[in-house]
Amino acid sequence: LIEMNEKLRESVQYLKQCISIENETFKLCETLSKKMNQPESSFILGIAYDSQKSVKIIQGILDRLDLPELENKNLRKELAELAADIMTLEKTISKISNLEYLITCEMLKKSINLEVLLTKVYTNYLESNSARTIVDELSKTGIVDLESFKKVFEYLIEEKGRHRQTLVETMYVL
């Protein structure tokens, strides 16, 4: 039972870090959109709000678990670094008064890379036993199908793919 609790704690912590990363992604895309012209800024703002949607989805899962508040310990180093990198990029963009063409392209390239990394974060989650751990816990309060649960994260992965495509297309129309 203690081992299960540790697995559950790790899985919940991973999802909490995903929320943190998505929140930072929202701020980054919102800041970037404010520096761009229409209609490109609208596409970037759409990506920002997709990140907020991801936060709501993951938070909804965590809320159903009805677990005591966990301390932010045993953070996954690679996830903490990704969140810090996004924060740094957002601060860099916010300090730039005029995004000229080359800077905009560079920021979009970094944003594309970010979407690739987010895809890996969700793919790693699905490939680990973490999804099964969460489903087992959710099953205590009702019927939860592992495959259906995984589809939620597969959807997030597909969404990141659409974001990459949008960012690439945005670079070409600048």
Side-chain angles (χ1 to χ4, degrees):
L1 189 67
I2 290 170
E3 182 186 333
M4 176 60 192
N5 285 340
E6 191 54 39
K7 283 182 184 176
L8 182 60
R9 192 179 339 276
E10 284 176 19
S11 188
V12 167
Q13 193 63 54
Y14 193 94
L15 291 177
K16 283 184 164 197
Q17 284 187 270
C18 288
I19 287 174
S20 173
I21 290 167
E22 291 287 7
N23 276 326
E24 292 305 325
T25 302
F26 169 77
K27 291 178 203 166
L28 168 69
C29 291
E30 186 181 46
T31 300
L32 182 58
S33 75
K34 289 176 182 174
K35 305 282 182 169
M36 297 178 74
N37 296 322
Q38 285 291 351
E40 293 81 12
S41 66
S42 295
F43 294 126
I44 305 303
L45 193 59
I47 292 171
Y49 280 97
D50 280 347
S51 287
Q52 282 299 98
K53 183 173 64 179
S54 297
V55 166
K56 296 285 186 203
I57 289 168
I58 297 168
Q59 189 60 56
I61 292 167
L62 293 176
D63 289 349
R64 291 294 304 269
L65 290 172
D66 194 32
L67 295 170
E69 195 60 34
L70 294 174
E71 299 170 31
N72 281 343
K73 61 178 190 174
N74 301 332
L75 295 177
R76 295 291 273 279
K77 185 176 179 226
E78 69 276 11
L79 298 182
E81 287 173 357
L82 178 56
D85 290 347
I86 298 167
M87 213 180 296
T88 302
L89 182 57
E90 189 276 331
K91 284 183 177 137
T92 301
I93 292 171
S94 69
K95 290 177 186 167
I96 299 169
S97 58
N98 185 10
L99 278 187
E100 52 196 53
Y101 176 75
L102 288 175
I103 294 172
T104 303
C105 285
E106 189 58 35
M107 294 303 131
L108 288 172
K109 283 180 190 173
K110 288 182 181 204
S111 297
I112 291 167
N113 188 45
L114 166 63
E115 293 296 331
V116 169
L117 294 173
L118 278 168
T119 298
K120 286 181 184 171
V121 166
Y122 291 123
T123 301
N124 290 344
Y125 180 77
L126 281 180
E127 290 174 354
S128 73
N129 287 324
S130 291
R132 158 75 63 202
T133 302
I134 294 287
V135 166
D136 288 347
E137 189 65 23
L138 288 170
S139 294
K140 293 176 182 175
T141 58
I143 298 168
V144 182
D145 178 60
L146 179 61
E147 292 311 308
S148 296
F149 182 80
K150 284 184 170 185
K151 282 186 177 141
V152 171
F153 291 92
E154 289 166 3
Y155 168 79
L156 295 178
I157 290 167
E158 289 169 14
E159 191 171 66
K160 301 306 170 196
R162 287 190 296 278
H163 293 169
R164 282 194 312 274
Q165 189 64 37
T166 299
L167 291 164
V168 168
E169 290 170 8
T170 302
M171 268 179 40
Y172 283 112
V173 296
L174 288 178

